[in-house]
Amino acid sequence: MVSGVPANDGSRQLADFLVYLGAELQVSPNPVAAYRSDLDRLLAGRRDLPDRAAIERHLSGLLPTHAPASVARAAAAIRGFYRFLHAEGHVPEDVAEGLLGPKLERK
C-alpha cells in the first residue's frame, strides 16, 4: 500500500494520467490503450495503490503468461504512472523509480 492512497483515487488518477499521455505528450491511441490495460490489471481488486513489493510481484506473475515485451511495456506503464502521481503530488515518493522489466533479447 502506498501511504494509504485508496485505489479508487488511483482509478481517477489513472484517467488523469491517460489524458496527460494523450493530450499533453501526444502519445498515439494504441499505446495509451495498452497502458490503460496494463494499469487496470495492476489496480484490479485493490483497495490501495500497490507498493514496490506488490508491483514487483505483479510483474513476476505476468512472466509465465505474457511475452517479455509485454511485461516490459507494463513496467514502463507503471513507472510512468507513479512518476506522474509523484509529480502531481498524489504520492509522497515514486515507488516505481528504477523499476525494470525483463531483459529483452535482440533478434
Side-chain angles (χ1 to χ4, degrees):
M1 172 177 88
V2 175
S3 300
V5 178
N8 61 354
D9 285 349
S11 296
R12 188 184 76 246
Q13 293 157 352
L14 173 56
D16 292 344
F17 174 62
L18 296 171
V19 168
Y20 165 75
L21 288 177
E24 293 187 35
L25 297 184
Q26 298 182 355
V27 174
S28 298
N30 286 342
V32 172
Y35 272 33
R36 174 193 309 272
S37 175
D38 293 332
L39 293 168
D40 280 344
R41 188 179 303 117
L42 173 70
L43 298 174
R46 295 187 179 274
R47 294 185 54 179
D48 299 305
L49 288 173
D51 61 11
R52 177 66 175 246
I55 293 167
E56 289 175 347
R57 282 192 307 274
H58 171 75
L59 291 173
S60 293
L62 296 177
L63 287 171
T65 57
H66 292 73
S70 297
V71 179
R73 186 197 61 229
I78 294 166
R79 281 193 309 271
F81 181 52
Y82 276 86
R83 187 178 309 121
F84 172 81
L85 292 176
H86 180 65
E88 295 292 314
H90 297 297
V91 295
E93 66 177 314
D94 178 356
V95 299
E97 184 177 6
L99 182 70
L100 299 175
K103 196 169 195 174
L104 300 178
E105 294 182 19
R106 294 181 189 254
K107 291 185 178 184

